[in-house]
Amino acid sequence: MSVVTKKPGDEVANLEFGRRTDEWSQCLRTIAKHRDRSAFARFFKQFAPLIKAFALSGSTLSANHADELVQEVMLKVWQKADGFNPDKASASTWVYTIARNCRTDLYRRLQKFDTPLSADDVSLDQDGEEPAAMLHQRRMRDRIHAMMNTLPADQAHILAKVYMEGKSHSEVASELDLPLGTVKSRVRLAIQKLQIQMED
Amino acid sequence: MAKFHPDLHVLTEFTAGTLPLAQSACVSLHLTYCAKCQEITEAQTAMAANLFEDLEPANVSDSQLDIVMSRLDEDAPLTYPKTPRDDASSTPAVLQRLMHGDFSDLTWKKITSALRISYLSTGDPYYEFALYHIKAGGVIPEHTHRGSEMTLVLEGGFSDSEGTYHAGDFLFRESGDVHSPAALAHEDCICLAVLDAPLKFTRLRHRWMNPFLQLKAS
Ligand SMILES: [Zn+2]
C-alpha cells in the first residue's frame, strides 16, 4: 500500500518484508480469534528457534534457562495474542518485545532483585490508534528494514551485540578491543541513519 | 513538550533492555512526556526486531513444543491495563505503582526548610530512586556528584547555571559536576533523581549534608 517512490532495491526488500509480516500477523490473528492450536504450533516452529537463539546470545543463560524462556515467551504469545494489532507492529517486533522483556525479567530474577516493576511495566506501549500514526509507523518499519540491509558490517555487528547479546557499550568495546568512543560512534551512526529515515 | 532528553546511548540501552532497572524507570517516565523519544525508541525496537529475525535459529526439540502445548490451558496471569496518561496532570503509572498512592501519601524527609526527599523502592540494589520536593524559590546548596545522576522534572521547574528545566525535562549528570539548582519562583518543584550507589565500596558517601543523605538504594 506504500505509494512512496523508492529505489529499486528498497522495493524488493519491502515486498519480501510485507509477505513475511503478513503471514505471521495472519497466523497470530488466527490464534487469537479461533484459539487455533495448529496455527500456534506453526508459529512456535517459526519463532521458538529465534527466541532460543536470542536467549542464548545473551551468553550468561544456561540451556535450561533458555528452554524456560522459550516456554514462557510462547505461553505469553498464546495468552496475549488477542492484544496483537498488526497495524501497530509486525509479528516479529511483537514477539521480540515479549522475548526481550522476559529475558530482562529473568536476568533480574537470577540476580534476586525484589522489585514491584516488571520489564513490561517500564517498556513502552505502542500507541497511536489514529490511521495517520499507524501509516507513519508502517512506513517507518519498511524503511528501517530496507536500511538494515544497507548497514555496513561493522555497524551491524555492534548493533547485534548491543541488542541481541544485551551488552553495554563498554562491554562491547572491551570484547572487540575497540575504544569506547568508536563503539559509541558506530551505534550513533546507525541510529542517526534511522532518524533520517524517520524524518523523511 | 520536553526540551531536554536522554542521549542516544541511554535510549539505546533502554530499548535493548540493558539499562539498570531504576534508570530505565526514569527513562520510561520521560517517554510519557516525550513523543520524540517515544518515536526514537519505537524505531530502535523495530530495528532490533530485524536483528532478531536474522538470528541463526537454535535447535528446539519437539518435546519443548509438547510441553508448551500441554500448558496452553493454564490460567493466564491477571493483567491490568496501564492507565493512559490522558491529561497532563495525572501521575504516570510507573510512579503510581512505586508510590502506592500520590505525592501526599509519601513520607517526606525534611532536609532543609526548602527541601524534602522521599525515597522509593524499585528493587534495584545499585541505584537510589528518590523524589525531591523543592519549595518555590528554594535553593539546594551547592553540591557535587560522585557518581552519575539522572533527573526528571515531574512538576514545576528548576534552574541552574546551565539552564531552566520544566516538567518532562531529563538531565543526566556525570560525576564531578558542581551545581546548585533552585526551584522556579512561583511554583514548588518535584523531581525524580536516580543516583548510582556503589554499595559494594562504601555506604558513606561524601555528598553534601552527609550523614543525613546516605544513599538509599533498593
Ligand atoms: Zn525526550
Side-chain angles (χ1 to χ4, degrees):
Chain A
M1 78 168 290
S2 173
V3 290
V4 184
T5 327
K6 291 202 173 94
K7 289 175 292 186
D10 292 349
E11 214 50 62
V12 173
N14 285 345
L15 280 175
E16 189 205 340
F17 186 48
R19 185 155 43 76
R20 272 199 289 177
T21 306
D22 284 343
E23 181 184 350
W24 297 114
S25 300
Q26 204 55 51
C27 188
L28 267 180
R29 297 286 286 268
T30 310
I31 294 167
K33 264 198 205 146
H34 308 293
R35 305 273 73 195
D36 182 328
R37 285 168 191 249
S38 66
F40 178 77
R42 261 197 310 131
F43 199 86
F44 184 100
K45 292 206 165 111
Q46 169 69 16
F47 285 99
L50 296 178
I51 297 164
K52 186 162 180 181
F54 176 69
L56 291 173
S57 68
S59 81
T60 47
L61 289 181
S62 66
N64 278 346
H65 282 134
D67 284 338
E68 224 175 80
L69 197 76
V70 169
Q71 289 180 27
E72 194 186 334
V73 173
M74 288 309 301
L75 274 175
K76 285 211 165 131
V77 166
W78 175 256
Q79 289 160 353
K80 293 175 143 190
D82 209 20
F84 169 69
N85 180 347
D87 293 322
K88 286 190 195 173
S90 68
S92 68
T93 300
W94 187 76
V95 176
Y96 160 72
T97 307
I98 296 176
R100 178 199 62 195
N101 289 353
C102 285
R103 187 174 79 174
T104 303
D105 285 336
L106 177 59
Y107 283 151
R108 289 182 184 145
R109 277 203 305 277
L110 293 173
Q111 289 177 63
K112 309 242 184 309
F113 275 35
D114 179 16
T115 174
L117 296 176
S118 67
D120 261 350
D121 291 326
V122 296
S123 100
L124 185 67
D125 266 339
Q126 314 241 327
D127 46 16
E129 296 280 355
E130 321 83 66
M134 296 192 305
L135 180 62
H136 175 73
Q137 288 194 338
R138 182 170 290 235
R139 280 192 192 147
M140 181 188 79
R141 259 155 47 196
D142 291 349
R143 286 174 181 171
I144 287 169
H145 189 75
M147 189 278 279
M148 291 298 283
N149 290 337
T150 63
L151 210 59
D154 58 349
Q155 286 174 25
H157 186 54
I158 284 180
L159 289 180
K161 294 221 163 278
V162 169
Y163 286 105
M164 295 301 108
E165 300 181 20
K167 300 222 160 85
S168 70
H169 293 101
S170 47
E171 283 170 328
V172 175
S174 67
E175 193 182 308
L176 299 180
D177 203 15
L178 287 169
L180 180 59
T182 307
V183 170
K184 285 193 162 189
S185 71
R186 284 185 195 168
V187 171
R188 179 176 293 123
L189 279 173
I191 292 168
Q192 274 167 354
K193 259 184 224 157
L194 274 184
Q195 282 179 289
I196 292 162
Q197 303 285 328
M198 282 155 51
E199 280 156 14
D200 270 353
Chain B
M1 186 62 69
K3 284 207 190 86
F4 296 86
H5 309 273
D7 75 15
L8 269 183
H9 302 293
V10 170
L11 288 179
T12 302
E13 294 195 355
F14 174 78
T15 12
T18 49
L19 203 62
L21 177 59
Q23 292 191 336
S24 69
C26 183
V27 171
S28 139
L29 285 166
H30 171 73
L31 296 184
T32 67
Y33 293 88
C34 184
K36 176 175 169 268
C37 289
Q38 261 182 43
E39 189 169 352
I40 294 173
T41 56
E42 273 165 21
Q44 287 183 320
T45 303
M47 183 175 81
N50 275 287
L51 295 164
F52 173 74
E53 282 179 74
D54 290 341
L55 287 171
E56 180 75 34
N59 183 41
V60 174
S61 67
D62 288 344
S63 66
Q64 284 296 309
L65 176 58
D66 296 340
I67 293 171
V68 172
M69 294 302 274
S70 73
R71 291 180 61 192
L72 293 185
D73 295 321
E74 283 178 8
D75 284 338
L78 298 173
T79 55
Y80 305 93
K82 293 181 201 175
T83 35
R85 187 181 162 75
D86 38 16
D87 72 291
S89 63
S90 68
T91 310
V94 166
L95 211 51
Q96 284 179 14
R97 173 83 55 96
L98 293 172
M99 296 198 304
H100 308 290
D102 225 313
F103 292 133
S104 56
D105 301 320
L106 296 173
T107 312
W108 291 94
K109 183 170 172 173
K110 186 174 174 179
I111 308 296
T112 69
S113 59
L115 174 67
R116 284 172 172 73
I117 299 184
S118 182
Y119 297 96
L120 301 182
S121 171
T122 62
D124 185 331
Y126 305 108
Y127 289 83
E128 176 187 288
F129 191 95
L131 297 175
Y132 285 51
H133 185 137
I134 316 167
K135 281 205 174 150
V139 178
I140 298 183
E142 184 172 277
H143 60 284
T144 182
H145 295 285
R146 286 299 177 95
S148 67
E149 183 184 49
M150 265 185 191
T151 309
L152 179 72
V153 182
L154 298 168
E155 285 188 11
F158 73 89
S159 61
D160 63 14
S161 56
E162 284 170 53
T164 300
Y165 317 101
H166 298 97
D169 281 338
F170 179 101
L171 292 141
F172 193 31
R173 293 266 156 81
E174 302 290 350
S175 60
D177 282 349
V178 180
H179 66 156
S180 66
L184 301 182
H186 54 280
E187 195 183 353
D188 285 9
C189 173
I190 299 179
C191 54
L192 164 68
V194 181
L195 290 127
D196 63 352
L199 287 180
K200 285 180 286 189
F201 305 112
T202 171
R203 281 193 73 90
L204 273 179
R205 289 161 52 99
H206 297 279
R207 291 175 56 206
W208 68 286
M209 297 295 284
N210 254 344
F212 301 107
L213 285 178
Q214 289 176 24
L215 278 144
K216 292 191 175 47
S218 80

